[in-house]
Amino acid sequence: MKQRTINILLVITIICISLSAIFVKLSDAPSTVMVMYRMFLACLLISPMIFKHRKAFLEIKMREWIAIVFAGIFLAGHFGLWFESLNHTTVASSTLILALQPAIALVGGLLFFREKVDIRTLFAMGIAFIGVAIVGGGNLGGGSGVLLGNILSFFAVISVVLYLMIGQRNVKSINHWVYSFLVFFISGVTVAIFNLIGGISFTGYSTNDWFVFIMLAIFPTGAHIIFNMLLNYVNTTTVSMSTLGEPIGASILAIILLNEMLTPVEMVGGILIIVGIFYFLRLQGGSKQVILKESESL
């Protein structure tokens, strides 16, 4: 895949994931119910592709099945924790914490995949993180509820990085449509079991709630399908770096749909984030980014 195509797909994913926080804010359904239906509806939407690649199920090895199960659990943890964080904090604060994902992915890549880090890459990330700090600097003092929301969001970041790292190790040997379907299904089952244990109802939700469930299944979940495909060509850090655009996209949408206005300082920070992402992606254009080394299974 050409670098230009990779960059275009990464931009599309930024737009899609920016919609996620907005959709969650528009529904009063429990967080875990939103996650459950998002995952199951996503499975339904991609089922035609699964039928086309059905023979790929027979090629999955036992070790890969184990990895898929853990990936599904971590993805469920990510969505559950993050959706719940949005009940306690603002879109800006929550997406700010999510923007820590590249740094955590970078550490994970060094530990598990022995990935090399160019000083220019660190510089690009530094520019973006300065922007993140500026964007979120005025949004972290909103009370004790915000603190809980930020903690939940931080653990959501750890969960999604572990999910992506498992994908980096396994998606090259499994059809990405099949991999996405299985991970989404296991994620949905994981949250469904949680809902059953917690006595959370599966029914009784409004038309607006179901609209949100469907939109979450189409747009943000579509971004995760693209992420799984791109893991054939780039590493976890590159995928995670693209998500630094989410605070900007989500903030713009929050202005339009939730009337959450940005300050001039936040706008300056947003520009730095965009510059950092652009510089990072330009650095990737010098050579095709592939998985550097396969480690032992996680």
Side-chain angles (χ1 to χ4, degrees), residues 18-71:
S18 295
L19 291 166
S20 187
I22 305 301
F23 288 140
V24 172
K25 284 283 192 177
L26 293 176
S27 174
D28 295 323
S31 302
T32 51
V33 170
M34 283 190 276
V35 176
M36 178 182 68
Y37 283 121
R38 169 181 177 169
M39 294 290 90
F40 286 149
L41 287 171
C43 289
L44 181 63
L45 290 172
I46 65 175
S47 57
M49 296 302 299
I50 299 308
F51 180 77
K52 178 180 178 180
H53 299 285
R54 60 190 180 278
K55 293 182 179 180
F57 285 88
L58 301 176
E59 301 173 358
I60 302 175
K61 301 178 178 62
M62 179 57 66
R63 186 175 65 176
E64 293 168 340
W65 276 111
I66 295 173
I68 288 170
V69 169
F70 276 102

Side-chain angles (χ1 to χ4, degrees), residues 4 17 27 41 43 57 68 78 85 94 98 129 146 205 228 245-246 248 265 271 286 293:
R4 176 183 173 85
I17 62 177
S27 174
L41 287 171
C43 289
F57 285 88
I68 288 170
H78 165 65
S85 79
S94 186
L98 287 183
F129 276 115
V146 171
Y205 299 103
N228 288 334
E246 183 174 2
I248 302 304
V265 172
I271 292 172
K293 290 185 179 181

Side-chain angles (χ1 to χ4, degrees), residues 19 43 47 49 69 74 81 89 94-95 105 127-128 135 137 166 169 198 210 221 248 250 253 257 282 284 293:
L19 291 166
C43 289
S47 57
M49 296 302 299
V69 169
F74 283 129
L81 290 166
T89 187
S94 186
T95 52
I127 294 174
V135 168
I166 292 175
R169 174 63 180 83
W210 279 101
T221 308
I248 302 304
L253 291 172
L257 300 175
R282 284 294 298 269
Q284 310 311 304
K293 290 185 179 181

Side-chain angles (χ1 to χ4, degrees), residues 39-297:
M39 294 290 90
F40 286 149
L41 287 171
C43 289
L44 181 63
L45 290 172
I46 65 175
S47 57
M49 296 302 299
I50 299 308
F51 180 77
K52 178 180 178 180
H53 299 285
R54 60 190 180 278
K55 293 182 179 180
F57 285 88
L58 301 176
E59 301 173 358
I60 302 175
K61 301 178 178 62
M62 179 57 66
R63 186 175 65 176
E64 293 168 340
W65 276 111
I66 295 173
I68 288 170
V69 169
F70 276 102
I73 293 173
F74 283 129
L75 185 61
H78 165 65
F79 286 137
L81 290 166
W82 183 52
F83 282 16
E84 184 61 25
S85 79
L86 289 167
N87 290 328
H88 301 278
T89 187
T90 64
V91 169
S93 290
S94 186
T95 52
L96 164 68
I97 301 300
L98 287 183
L100 294 173
Q101 184 177 323
I104 297 175
L106 186 64
V107 173
L110 289 170
L111 292 176
F112 295 109
F113 298 102
R114 300 177 184 178
E115 294 177 354
K116 298 178 181 178
V117 181
D118 188 281
I119 187 65
R120 295 175 300 171
T121 299
L122 293 177
F123 179 69
M125 291 181 66
I127 294 174
F129 276 115
I130 290 173
V132 168
I134 293 174
V135 168
N139 297 315
L140 298 178
S144 59
V146 171
L147 177 61
L148 174 60
N150 289 344
I151 291 173
L152 292 173
S153 188
F154 177 75
F155 282 108
V157 175
I158 295 176
S159 293
V160 76
V161 169
L162 291 172
Y163 155 70
L164 288 172
M165 285 185 171
I166 292 175
Q168 178 174 322
R169 174 63 180 83
N170 292 276
V171 76
K172 291 191 71 175
S173 59
I174 305 173
N175 177 274
H176 79 273
W177 287 105
V178 171
Y179 179 82
S180 295
F181 175 86
L182 290 172
V183 170
F184 294 166
F185 181 77
I186 291 170
S187 179
V189 170
T190 300
V191 182
I193 293 173
F194 179 89
N195 289 335
L196 284 172
I197 294 174
I200 300 174
S201 176
F202 283 37
T203 59
Y205 299 103
S206 67
T207 302
N208 176 73
D209 291 332
W210 279 101
F211 171 78
V212 169
F213 300 160
I214 294 171
M215 291 299 100
L216 286 171
I218 294 174
F219 291 103
T221 308
H224 280 266
I225 295 174
I226 296 175
F227 286 155
N228 288 334
M229 178 180 66
L230 289 178
L231 285 172
N232 285 290
Y233 308 98
V234 301
N235 56 30
T236 303
T237 303
T238 301
V239 169
S240 296
M241 188 67 182
S242 72
T243 63
L244 277 175
E246 183 174 2
I248 302 304
S251 295
I252 292 173
L253 291 172
I255 292 173
I256 299 172
L257 300 175
L258 303 178
N259 200 31
E260 293 183 3
M261 302 304 295
L262 286 173
T263 66
V265 172
E266 290 172 329
M267 293 180 184
V268 171
I271 292 172
L272 289 175
I273 293 174
I274 294 173
V275 169
I277 294 172
F278 179 78
Y279 183 39
F280 180 88
L281 294 178
R282 284 294 298 269
L283 291 175
Q284 310 311 304
S287 60
K288 184 179 180 180
Q289 296 297 299
V290 296
I291 306 307
L292 298 175
K293 290 185 179 181
E294 291 189 354
S295 67
E296 296 296 325
S297 60

